[in-house]
Amino acid sequence: MINGDLKKSSHILIEADNYHALQLLDYVYPGKVDCIYIDPPYNTGSKDWKYNNDYVDKNDVFRHSKWLSMMEKRLVLSKKILKEDGVLICAIDDNELATLWLLLSELFKGYKITCIPIIHHARGTQGDKFSYTHEYVLFIYKKSSVISDRISSSLGETYRLIRWGSSSERHQGKNCFYPIFVKNNTVVKIGTVPEDSFHPSRAVIEHEDGTLEFWPIDAHGIERKWRYAVHTISGIIDRISISENQGVKQLQIGRVTEKHKTVWSGTRYDANAHGSKLVSDILGIQFPYPKSIYTVFDCIRACTKHNTQAIIVDFFAGSGTTLNSVNLLNNEDNGSRQCIMVTNNEVSYDERKELDKKGFSPGHPEWEKHGICELITFPRSKYTIMGKRDDGTLLSGEYLTNKIIEKTSDRKFIHIGFVGTEQLNTAEKKRQFVELIEGIPKSKIKRETSFFVNDNPIYKAAVLFDDSRYEEFISAVDGNDHITDFYIITSSKKLFTEIKGKISTLMGPISLQENETKLQSDGFEANLHYFKLDFLDPNEVAIGRQYNAILPILWMIAGAKGIFDMKYDEACPWYISEENSFAILNRESRFRDFLSEIRGKSTIKSIFLVTNSEEAFFDMKAELHISSEIKMLYKDYLRNFEINRFTSI
């Protein structure tokens, strides 16, 4: 399924037993995976997983050891594909938290394990004596540096420093018009407010020493203003950086980031609203216990924020939330992360009983179409990428994003006419009054305080106690765009209206940044290939007659780029695909001709040389003189593929 740039790696869905798929991935991606996210069966006794083809229920006295045995085999293989600085993320609940932690401690010696409780069901699910509201995510990693900070608010990471929209021009706030000097992406100086008659020549002035002098001037040459007055910006200069869009440099302000909390809570993690309901709205099918898309999004973002080309593997893919999250993350930062999902095509316990009654068995199309991969994982992945279902109906929901949009809102003016300056004639009385106002510290209010205006952005309110000082009050609020609420104490309605009008004209409306939403019907620029992993005939492998069955594997090794619709005539001495970035030499005796064909083909990233002789392999490799990955196929072919057959869906 193609809906994106063919030069980028495609996402891959593998329908298979995940143990066999991990054996394959160990060959394809040894030590190359940046992040593994898994949500394994929780072993609650609800017939949600099998051991040796039998459902494990809560009365099985060996259910914990069976679960650990199943997990251990897969975790051992998963460690082999993980990079040295890769991160394993594992969701779990109380049933197996303790046992899983011990298992991970044993298998991942030298790694750190951080456990994050997530409030995913704030209303609670009925337990025996307690109502459960949480589950856990375990982060397993070697280097703390791979875990990025989180954004301290729900909004995006950065926004423009220049004001936009209404009341954003220079004459509407002269204290917000001044130069900012930046060198090597660091603010080195804040200039002063110039005379009204001074007009900079352009928005960015380059000095000989490499310093850039920025002025708040838009692309049309209109003099605007910065978001912060000259006397308030010094406290945030460490958050200012340069961005560039189509060759135009501009200043941006970064939002405050912080370390991840050890408990995650909030409506974005609600597994019902952003998990069950999301899947139901997309597919029209109920699916048990899907994760909130934003839970998986935040987990993966935490360890791939600085690696937009990361490889992410989920070998308990379930409903496909991981791929949905990766696509949303790529959409946010223009990344090209690749997601590889593995799931079997198991039919649910109840559905299995109904199909048995009807005489269907595994392998029959009627049985298989009810399996999780064909019924849930692939359709959800396909529909969310395309933005529509197979029948053409558009997806109707929205995603939350970390991108921001700017809106405006009127500032709030409150007329306090029931009390006057003469009544508020002591510090204590004034402090009692401001106790009613959120965001004004009593400690800053004195007996002689005529008004309170603070240039610290955390103080959103301002108060005028003495209406005879209103002109000073208005002058003090100039440039303090963070102030949203004004409390005016005066017995004169006319004076209140006058003050309100002057401040409104001076400051304009509030500029708000809100989360942008993304329509699900817009889909994602991404490609997805769906394969089934079956078994090859060892005799066929031994005589080299299964190249077409392993072509997808070679395509994956080469980066999974381009459209996979290739066929290989095994009678040909070689196979070269520039579009798919790999080449195979099938006949060692034709190496010289192959060498001539391969020269100058810079898009070839992987070359496979089929030979039984290691000496011949290294001789040929030495003569290729190219930077491509070169692999000896035949021995690996025998060892790795005699049980595996790929079928493209």
Side-chain angles (χ1 to χ4, degrees):
M1 183 182 56
I2 305 300
N3 198 42
D5 187 348
L6 291 174
K7 294 179 181 178
K8 293 183 178 181
S9 296
S10 292
H11 301 308
I12 297 169
L13 171 60
I14 301 173
E15 181 189 320
D17 173 88
N18 57 11
Y19 180 75
H20 294 306
L22 280 167
Q23 289 178 311
L24 171 72
L25 295 179
D26 180 31
Y27 179 79
V28 178
Y29 301 110
K32 295 181 179 180
V33 173
D34 300 279
C35 174
I36 298 174
Y37 177 93
I38 55 172
D39 183 15
Y42 285 0
N43 202 17
T44 61
S46 60
K47 296 188 182 299
D48 59 346
W49 74 287
K50 290 181 175 182
Y51 187 81
N52 290 341
N53 294 318
D54 291 323
Y55 286 105
V56 178
D57 63 38
K58 61 184 178 181
N59 298 315
D60 190 325
V61 295
F62 297 108
R63 71 185 179 99
H64 292 294
S65 59
K66 287 179 178 179
W67 189 88
L68 281 172
S69 175
M70 179 273 294
M71 288 297 294
E72 180 181 21
K73 293 175 182 177
R74 287 151 180 80
L75 289 172
V76 166
L77 289 173
S78 69
K79 187 178 179 182
K80 293 182 178 181
I81 66 175
L82 202 61
K83 280 184 177 178
E84 181 69 15
D85 60 351
V87 182
L88 168 64
I89 305 170
C90 186
I92 200 66
D93 74 355
D94 291 283
N95 284 284
E96 297 292 357
L97 174 64
T99 50
L100 177 62
W101 198 316
L102 290 174
L103 177 62
L104 290 168
S105 299
E106 179 66 27
L107 296 180
F108 289 82
K109 293 185 184 300
Y111 285 72
K112 300 174 184 178
I113 301 177
T114 300
C115 180
I116 307 291
I118 297 181
I119 311 303
H120 74 304
H121 200 310
R123 296 168 298 281
T125 55
Q126 190 61 46
D128 188 18
K129 293 292 183 180
F130 298 91
S131 183
Y132 289 90
T133 64
H134 70 283
E135 58 185 8
Y136 307 94
V137 167
L138 297 176
F139 285 81
I140 302 93
Y141 54 98
K142 269 191 175 180
K143 300 179 181 179
S144 299
S145 59
V146 300
I147 308 296
S148 66
D149 288 351
R150 68 182 290 273
I151 307 166
S152 60
S153 74
S154 62
L155 300 180
E157 289 186 67
T158 58
Y159 52 95
R160 293 173 299 187
L161 188 57
I162 189 173
R163 277 289 299 270
W164 215 257
S166 60
S167 301
S168 66
E169 295 187 26
R170 176 181 178 177
H171 69 276
Q172 295 168 307
K174 66 178 183 179
N175 287 334
C176 296
F177 189 83
Y178 52 86
I180 298 176
F181 297 87
V182 180
K183 188 173 183 179
N184 298 327
N185 206 34
T186 301
V187 177
V188 294
K189 180 183 174 182
I190 301 295
T192 58
V193 176
E195 295 293 331
D196 291 347
S197 59
F198 174 77
H199 301 283
S201 58
R202 53 187 179 275
V204 184
I205 301 170
E206 298 186 25
H207 295 275
E208 291 183 359
D209 65 350
T211 301
L212 300 177
E213 179 181 342
F214 285 85
W215 290 89
I217 301 174
D218 68 17
H220 302 290
I222 298 174
E223 294 179 347
R224 298 193 178 274
K225 61 182 183 180
W226 299 123
R227 292 182 182 275
Y228 301 91
V230 68
H231 56 279
T232 64
I233 198 167
S234 58
I236 59 168
I237 58 174
D238 59 331
R239 292 163 50 196
I240 297 174
S241 61
I242 299 174
S243 65
E244 189 167 340
N245 184 17
Q246 296 182 342
V248 178
K249 292 183 174 67
Q250 63 181 12
L251 293 182
Q252 62 183 14
I253 181 78
R255 295 191 179 277
V256 176
T257 59
E258 61 187 9
K259 302 298 181 186
H260 289 274
K261 298 290 193 298
T262 52
V263 176
W264 293 4
S265 61
T267 55
R268 69 186 279 109
Y269 303 123
D270 188 325
N272 180 53
H274 305 303
S276 302
K277 187 176 185 303
L278 177 65
V279 174
S280 177
D281 288 347
I282 292 171
L283 298 176
I285 299 172
Q286 296 297 322
F287 182 80
Y289 313 121
K291 288 283 181 292
S292 163
I293 185 175
Y294 306 113
T295 297
V296 183
F297 177 98
D298 285 356
C299 286
I300 293 174
R301 183 189 179 279
C303 52
T304 70
K305 176 182 180 295
H306 302 301
N307 182 5
T308 59
Q309 295 183 321
I311 298 175
I312 296 127
V313 169
D314 180 354
F315 53 88
F316 286 100
S319 68
T321 302
T322 301
L323 176 59
N324 206 167
S325 301
V326 169
N327 279 330
L328 189 59
L329 182 54
N330 281 339
N331 178 79
E332 176 180 295
D333 61 11
N334 296 316
S336 53
R337 297 170 186 83
Q338 180 189 23
C339 182
I340 300 156
M341 296 191 300
V342 179
T343 182
N344 57 31
N345 199 40
E346 280 287 341
V347 173
S348 71
Y349 179 74
D350 291 337
E351 193 70 50
R352 185 186 187 96
K353 290 193 297 183
E354 291 299 316
L355 291 168
D356 277 336
K357 289 178 183 178
K358 295 177 181 178
F360 298 114
S361 58
H364 191 283
E366 187 63 29
W367 180 289
E368 295 300 320
K369 76 177 185 180
H370 292 281
I372 183 173
C373 193
E374 291 193 20
L375 185 67
I376 304 291
T377 320
F378 181 58
R380 175 186 181 176
S381 300
K382 178 170 56 171
Y383 297 169
T384 54
I385 288 175
M386 301 306 296
K388 60 183 178 180
R389 303 173 185 86
D390 286 342
D391 62 5
T393 57
L394 298 177
L395 302 186
S396 59
E398 294 180 334
Y399 300 111
L400 295 175
T401 76
N402 276 336
K403 294 182 179 180
I404 58 172
I405 53 176
E406 296 191 23
K407 293 184 177 180
T408 59
S409 176
D410 291 334
R411 298 178 194 272
K412 187 177 180 181
F413 292 87
I414 301 93
H415 180 200
I416 309 297
F418 60 86
V419 62
T421 305
E422 63 279 1
Q423 282 83 34
L424 299 177
N425 55 7
T426 68
E428 184 58 30
K429 289 179 179 179
K430 289 179 178 178
R431 288 171 182 169
Q432 287 178 354
F433 175 78
V434 299
E435 276 188 342
L436 304 174
I437 302 173
E438 184 178 354
I440 297 182
K442 292 194 300 180
S443 61
K444 293 186 178 292
I445 305 301
K446 312 296 181 186
R447 181 181 182 278
E448 63 274 13
T449 302
S450 299
F451 53 81
F452 173 81
V453 174
N454 198 292
D455 57 16
N456 190 323
I458 69 171
Y459 300 123
K460 305 292 186 184
V463 180
L464 173 63
F465 291 105
D466 185 349
D467 60 4
S468 68
R469 305 281 296 276
Y470 80 90
E471 290 184 345
E472 295 174 63
F473 177 68
I474 292 172
S475 179
V477 302
D478 184 18
N480 288 302
D481 280 0
H482 61 279
I483 299 176
T484 59
D485 299 343
F486 296 86
Y487 294 82
I488 314 297
I489 299 173
T490 179
S491 59
S492 170
K493 181 68 178 291
K494 180 180 179 182
L495 182 58
F496 167 76
T497 303
E498 181 182 346
I499 295 170
K500 176 182 176 182
K502 287 185 176 182
I503 293 176
S504 296
T505 301
L506 176 68
M507 301 183 70
I510 308 164
S511 179
L512 302 175
Q513 291 81 45
E514 296 182 359
N515 283 101
E516 185 179 40
T517 58
K518 173 181 169 56
L519 294 174
Q520 292 178 10
S521 59
D522 288 342
F524 296 103
E525 291 186 8
N527 304 320
L528 172 67
H529 285 77
Y530 175 16
F531 300 105
K532 288 188 177 183
L533 181 60
D534 298 316
F535 298 93
L536 294 179
D537 180 348
N539 295 322
E540 291 278 293
V541 171
I543 59 175
R545 292 181 178 171
Q546 291 290 357
Y547 280 105
N548 282 305
I550 67 165
L551 276 177
I553 300 170
L554 308 185
W555 173 73
M556 288 167 62
I557 292 173
K561 297 176 181 178
I563 300 174
F564 182 82
D565 60 356
M566 59 194 78
K567 292 291 181 182
Y568 180 23
D569 182 353
E570 292 165 7
C572 293
W574 59 71
Y575 176 91
I576 298 173
S577 174
E578 291 188 79
E579 179 188 357
N580 301 115
S581 303
F582 73 92
I584 308 169
L585 173 63
N586 189 25
R587 294 185 190 173
E588 187 180 338
S589 61
R590 299 292 301 275
F591 174 70
R592 295 294 167 194
D593 297 328
F594 176 75
L595 190 62
S596 297
E597 288 290 327
I598 210 74
R599 282 200 179 105
K601 298 187 185 301
S602 59
T603 61
I604 301 298
K605 301 302 180 185
S606 298
I607 296 176
F608 303 93
L609 305 176
V610 178
T611 177
N612 280 327
S613 167
E614 289 190 2
E615 182 179 358
F617 168 74
F618 285 110
D619 286 344
M620 289 187 288
K621 182 178 180 181
E623 288 194 54
L624 282 167
H625 296 298
I626 56 177
S627 59
S628 303
E629 181 181 31
I630 303 171
K631 302 193 75 164
M632 179 176 174
L633 180 60
Y634 201 65
K635 283 190 176 180
D636 287 342
Y637 174 57
L638 285 171
R639 185 176 72 245
N640 289 280
F641 306 135
E642 60 186 15
I643 63 166
N644 296 327
R645 172 197 297 272
F646 254 127
T647 306
S648 179
I649 304 300

